[in-house]
Amino acid sequence: MGLTYQMKMKIPFDMADMNGHIKLPDVILLSLQVSGLQSIDLGISDKDMLERCNLVWIITDYDIDVVRLPKFGEEMTIETEALSYNRLFCYRRFTVFDENDVAVIEMMATFVLMDRDSRKVHAVEPKIVAPYEAEFSKKLIRGPKYPELKDSISKDYHVRFYDLDMNGHVNNSKYLDWIFEVVGADFLMKHVPKKVHLKYVKEVRPGGQITSSYDLNGLESNHQISSDGDTNAQAMVTWQEIS
């Protein structure tokens, strides 16, 4: 198993939704901040990777389980661990603990290395991941098969400058914003995610427009983000009613 790293914080007002729960896209933002801080601590920050190797980390998949979403003012701890890697993929765990040290959110993220100029995937070199003490494993963690949408509802969104990160592509958490937002405020006021599978397929171009589409069957929804005729991301969400 790899080295673990933690960050403790109180949930600020601007990260809480109308129900007072932390927004799941913000959990992703904070979790990536924690993994970034671990990399800095180990002397292999994103800046170092870019300057030394012209490489950037990108995420291809998330698998998220939610017991409950912590609320505004609540103290939570985010823990991360680089679990394993193979020739192309690196797997990292994120766990959110509440004030009583109970795990309330579990996330598995799949990372790949990409050459910033060519935008092509780069093989994982053992020396790059060695500081994390993650184990090498040939085992691939495969995501689910995403179904085609039926009788979908769609909404268009403009890709803004502040949706982009320093690598010039749309921030990972923004896709989840588009995926959740399209289901509407009435639904979101009464439901929170219980399980999320999210797959990034193709980068969204800066300055363009995306279409967020979904179909809903009870507490199960399927989602697609598309632009310029291409699929950019897919998701499956299982919802739970707010008690």
Side-chain angles (χ1 to χ4, degrees):
M1 305 298 280
L3 297 176
T4 60
Y5 190 92
Q6 291 187 342
M7 181 181 77
K8 191 184 294 285
M9 65 168 291
K10 282 195 174 184
I11 298 168
F13 180 82
D14 62 347
M15 287 189 177
D17 64 17
M18 291 178 65
N19 291 312
H21 300 118
I22 189 170
K23 304 165 192 171
L24 198 54
D26 284 329
V27 174
I28 286 181
L29 278 175
L30 291 169
S31 298
L32 293 179
Q33 180 183 346
V34 176
S35 63
L37 289 172
Q38 182 185 35
S39 296
I40 291 172
D41 236 28
L42 296 173
I44 44 173
S45 70
D46 290 347
K47 183 180 179 182
D48 293 328
M49 290 287 293
L50 188 58
E51 291 179 348
R52 297 175 190 173
C53 316
N54 200 41
L55 297 176
V56 294
W57 289 107
I58 62 170
I59 296 173
T60 62
D61 298 82
Y62 275 114
D63 187 351
I64 308 172
D65 289 285
V66 179
V67 176
R68 73 173 184 89
L69 293 172
K71 290 195 168 187
F72 162 64
E74 189 174 344
E75 187 173 77
M76 67 179 187
T77 301
I78 301 177
E79 179 180 271
T80 190
E81 176 186 11
L83 295 175
S84 63
Y85 72 97
N86 51 53
R87 192 176 70 86
L88 292 178
F89 300 104
C90 297
Y91 303 109
R92 179 178 282 274
R93 169 187 65 84
F94 297 95
T95 305
V96 178
F97 298 95
D98 66 12
E99 295 174 328
N100 299 313
D101 292 326
V102 175
V104 293
I105 302 173
E106 292 274 5
M107 297 197 301
M108 178 73 75
T110 302
F111 288 75
V112 298
L113 281 170
M114 183 182 74
D115 184 282
R116 191 184 186 190
D117 294 334
S118 69
R119 314 306 274 185
K120 292 182 178 179
V121 172
H122 190 281
V124 178
E125 299 175 10
K127 65 179 181 181
I128 292 177
V129 295
Y132 300 101
E133 298 184 15
E135 63 180 19
F136 176 82
S137 173
K138 292 182 179 180
K139 182 180 178 180
L140 297 177
I141 300 178
R142 301 186 185 277
K145 183 177 181 180
Y146 293 86
E148 291 187 11
L149 301 189
K150 300 178 181 179
D151 302 319
S152 63
I153 298 171
S154 301
K155 186 175 180 180
D156 295 334
Y157 295 91
H158 182 70
V159 182
R160 304 169 302 175
F161 177 82
Y162 289 112
D163 293 334
L164 308 177
D165 61 22
M166 63 182 290
N167 293 324
H169 57 71
V170 174
N171 190 281
N172 285 286
S173 66
K174 189 61 193 175
Y175 291 84
L176 211 52
D177 272 337
W178 291 326
I179 286 166
F180 290 161
E181 182 71 24
V182 73
V183 302
D186 289 345
F187 186 86
L188 294 174
M189 284 296 293
K190 299 174 183 177
H191 303 84
V192 291
K194 181 179 181 181
K195 176 80 174 178
V196 179
H197 291 289
L198 175 59
K199 180 179 182 63
Y200 300 100
V201 181
K202 186 176 182 180
E203 290 181 279
V204 172
R205 291 185 179 182
Q209 182 172 282
I210 68 95
T211 299
S212 180
S213 305
Y214 80 101
D215 62 34
L216 178 65
N217 182 14
L219 295 177
E220 307 282 337
S221 60
N222 299 305
H223 300 259
Q224 180 175 292
I225 303 295
S226 57
S227 63
D228 300 323
D230 295 319
T231 297
N232 301 102
Q234 296 171 289
M236 295 191 300
V237 183
T238 300
W239 301 88
Q240 54 188 329
E241 294 183 2
I242 298 175
S243 54

